[in-house]
């Protein structure tokens, strides 16, 4: 299947690495899926992994007396652990990978610099962007859109375990309607919750399209890279996102 984008940023929740910590089998499966699409080298691939399988700051048990900052720092380091696990698996299969971290951990990963990240991508390396933006009170969704703009990705592809955006909660409401397209305005107005609002606002300001799709459905990653309308597109209008 031909690939239509020259550069994408793939956002995957920490779930792809495990339910609770790292699941080696799941990382192996993830790497296999990625290697399959990397064989057709026309799209350069940056990846942001979440860290929810290790720590999610907003869900971490805490009372008011606790400072949120170290909790979010643990969350960021969780994304680094996921990134290193994926790097290990990809490298073992001959893929050139760089993990770039927004926090300085020089012995472990390169410190993120936008020009260096672009250069790695230009050379066909997979770049795994870890530690979000390196600041607390921030989600990896927001970091995804920010980094996608910086590395000049054409689109954010958010792979999740649901098939896209619904106008209700399909697990509770059988009348919830699947939306193959949602404008940024409608997403914010109707308060959908597949991606956080700060991320959607930034995407709107900078015109970054976002496609939400079921990452676990066989063939879906190939399809979104081929420009097929799988899942839901969040953008200004339904017109082509190819520039
Ligand atoms: N985080 C942060 N700053 C960032 C990115 C992430 O503080 O720039 C922390 C935050 O605590 C977050 C955790 O890292 O909850 C893991 O990321 P996220 O919840 O987005 O992971 P996902 O839900 O995608 O698995």
């Amino acid at each position: 299947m031909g690939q239509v984008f020259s550069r994408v940023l793939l956002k995957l929740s920490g779930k792809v690495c495990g339910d609770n910590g790292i699941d080696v089998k799941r990382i192996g499966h993830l790497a296999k899926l990625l290697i399959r699409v990397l064989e057709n080298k026309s799209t350069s691939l940056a990846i942001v992994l979440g860290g929810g399988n290790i720590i999610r700051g907003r869900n971490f048990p805490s009372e008011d007396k606790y400072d949120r900052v170290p909790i979010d720092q643990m969350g960021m380091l969780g994304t680094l652990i996921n990134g290193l696990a994926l790097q290990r698996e990809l490298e073992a299969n001959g893929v050139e990978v760089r993990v770039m971290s927004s926090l300085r951990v020089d012995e472990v990963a390169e410190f993120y610099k936008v020009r260096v990240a672009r250069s790695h991508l230009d050379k066909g390396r997979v770049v795994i962007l870890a530690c979000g933006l390196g600041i607390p009170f921030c989600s990896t969704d927001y970091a995804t859109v920010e980094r996608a703009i910086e590395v000049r990705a054409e689109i954010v592809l958010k792979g999740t375990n649901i098939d896209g955006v619904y106008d209700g909660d399909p697990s509770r409401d059988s009348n919830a309607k699947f939306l193959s397209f949602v404008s940024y305005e409608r997403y914010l107005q109707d308060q959908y919750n597949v991606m956080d609002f700060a991320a959607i606002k930034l995407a709107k300001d900078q015109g970054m399209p976002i496609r939400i799709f079921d990452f676990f459905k066989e063939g879906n990653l190939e399809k979104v890279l081929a420009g097929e309308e799988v899942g839901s597109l969040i953008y200004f209008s339904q017109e082509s996102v190819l520039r």
Side-chain angles (χ1 to χ4, degrees), residues 11-15 49-53 55-58 68 71-73 75-76 79 131-141 143:
K11 160 77 206 289
L12 299 171
S13 119
K15 282 252 166 218
L49 289 173
N53 56 316
I55 285 174
R56 186 169 286 134
R58 59 189 178 280
R68 167 81 184 263
I71 297 170
D72 280 338
Q73 288 170 333
M76 287 185 261
T79 71
C131 296
L133 291 185
I135 50 170
F137 308 105
C138 184
S139 69
T140 44
D141 277 354

Side-chain angles (χ1 to χ4, degrees), residues 181-184 207-209 233-237 239-241 243:
F181 169 75
V182 196
S183 67
Y184 299 117
M208 175 58 67
L233 175 69
I234 307 171
Y235 195 46
F236 295 114
S237 69
E239 77 203 33
S240 169
V241 296
R243 292 161 197 174

Side-chain angles (χ1 to χ4, degrees), residues 44-71:
S44 76
L45 185 65
I47 301 175
V48 169
L49 289 173
N53 56 316
I54 298 175
I55 285 174
R56 186 169 286 134
R58 59 189 178 280
N59 296 345
F60 196 78
S62 183
E63 298 157 22
D64 283 351
K65 65 178 178 180
Y66 291 104
D67 184 1
R68 167 81 184 263
V69 175
I71 297 170

